[in-house]
């Protein structure tokens, strides 16, 4: 099955700097890649997603890039703010599979 | 719009006691439904998923079971809890027809003592 890995496991950034989290996946058939943000004690919330027919997608301060050849995708957060501190999960799936393969999560800490 | 509910929010249970966690979804029909467990500081482990009433797929062998008695209701149960069942239980839903996006509920924190 699909295997998704996230790096780094913990990332600390100064407020206002950018944060980048990278995920790699194993199954070249995967074609959908969502990112979730989980705040302490809450369920994960979808923040952005990308499909394999697109190389980049932006939504205000967050963006996701996809490199199908290298089988990796990244989350970019610009102008980080304290409220960006959370655990971020990446995932991958194949259309029609009904399941997402999740990475183990990255703890992002924004230092004021 | 769609909303997903889980209850209870927090539960403390003794070892060997039964368990019933409930998840309901509003605003959609025939969703796919999922149960995940998240141990402290760990990732998301898929336990069960369902594509329809009475249709349950188990991802990992364990002493937990799931049922889907109604279209938008998903229940996680155990006859006898173990210490290792402690964790954060998350329910999620997605649309049918191959729609992959999953939306999570607020979760239930279970502590088995």
């Amino acid at each position: 099955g699909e295997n998704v890995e996230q790096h780094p496991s913990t990332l600390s950034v100064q407020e206002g700097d950018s944060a980048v989290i990278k995920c790699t996946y194993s199954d070249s058939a995967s074609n959908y890649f969502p990112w979730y943000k989980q705040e302490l004690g809450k369920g994960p919330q979808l923040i952005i997603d990308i499909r394999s027919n697109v190389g980049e997608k932006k939504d205000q301060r967050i963006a996701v890039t996809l490199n199908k050849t290298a089988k990796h995708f990244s989350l970019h957060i610009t102008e980080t703010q304290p409220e960006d501190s959370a655990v971020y999960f990446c995932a991958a799936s194949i259309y029609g599979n009904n399941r997402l393969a999740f990475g183990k999560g990255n703890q992002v800490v924004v230092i004021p | 719009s769609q909303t997903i509910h889980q209850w209870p929010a927090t539960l403390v249970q003794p070892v060997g006691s039964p368990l019933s966690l409930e998840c309901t979804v509003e605003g959609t029909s025939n969703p796919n439904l999922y149960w995940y467990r998240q141990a402290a500081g760990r990732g998301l482990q898929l336990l069960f998923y369902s594509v329809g009433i009475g249709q349950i797929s188990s991802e990992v062998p364990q002493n937990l079971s799931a049922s889907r008695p109604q279209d938008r209701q998903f229940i996680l149960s155990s006859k006898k809890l173990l210490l290792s069942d402690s964790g954060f239980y998350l329910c999620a839903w997605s649309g049918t027809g191959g729609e992959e996006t999953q939306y999570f509920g607020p979760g239930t924190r279970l502590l088995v003592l």
Side-chain angles (χ1 to χ4, degrees):
Chain A
E2 175 64 276
N3 182 47
V4 177
E5 295 189 359
Q6 285 185 245
H7 304 279
S9 60
T10 304
L11 178 63
S12 296
V13 296
Q14 289 293 137
E15 182 177 358
D17 288 350
S18 295
V20 181
I21 305 169
K22 179 179 175 179
C23 285
T24 59
Y25 61 99
S26 60
D27 193 336
S28 57
S30 292
N31 53 13
Y32 175 65
F33 307 93
W35 283 91
Y36 290 85
K37 174 184 180 183
Q38 186 178 28
E39 297 177 347
L40 191 62
K42 298 183 178 180
Q45 298 297 308
L46 178 72
I47 56 172
I48 196 167
D49 55 11
I50 193 169
R51 300 188 184 276
S52 58
N53 59 344
V54 176
E56 183 177 2
K57 183 177 179 181
K58 290 183 179 180
D59 183 2
Q60 299 182 8
R61 295 188 296 107
I62 61 173
V64 55
T65 57
L66 172 64
N67 184 324
K68 289 185 291 183
T69 303
K71 291 191 286 187
H72 67 72
F73 55 111
S74 299
L75 178 70
H76 304 254
I77 307 173
T78 59
E79 301 174 19
T80 53
Q81 301 169 6
E83 53 264 38
D84 294 328
S85 295
V87 176
Y88 292 81
F89 290 96
C90 63
S93 79
I94 302 169
Y95 182 84
N97 194 24
N98 292 319
R99 282 174 287 182
L100 289 172
F102 283 91
K104 294 187 183 301
N106 293 93
Q107 176 74 58
V108 173
V109 178
V110 179
I111 304 167
Chain B
S1 64
Q2 301 87 4
T3 56
I4 179 168
H5 304 278
Q6 288 187 246
W7 65 89
T10 305
L11 190 60
V12 180
Q13 291 286 94
V15 169
S17 63
L19 173 73
S20 181
L21 303 182
E22 190 166 344
C23 169
T24 59
V25 181
E26 296 177 355
T28 186
S29 297
N30 196 29
N32 293 332
L33 296 172
Y34 306 83
W35 278 113
Y36 290 86
R37 176 168 57 201
Q38 187 175 33
R42 304 290 294 276
L44 300 166
Q45 180 188 32
L46 179 63
L47 302 175
F48 302 95
Y49 75 95
S50 170
V51 298
I53 296 174
Q55 302 178 61
I56 309 295
S57 296
S58 175
E59 291 294 299
V60 291
Q62 57 209 319
N63 70 322
L64 298 172
S65 62
S67 62
R68 185 170 177 173
Q70 299 181 45
D71 180 44
R72 290 170 289 178
Q73 183 185 32
F74 206 22
I75 296 173
L76 184 68
S77 303
S78 174
K79 293 182 179 179
K80 288 186 177 182
L81 283 169
L82 306 173
L83 286 173
S84 57
D85 291 324
S86 295
F88 193 43
Y89 288 83
L90 291 156
C91 181
W93 74 272
S94 70
T96 54
E99 181 60 48
E100 312 95 327
T101 307
Q102 293 184 21
Y103 302 94
F104 286 84
T108 294
R109 186 159 304 282
L110 172 66
L111 179 60
V112 182
L113 300 175

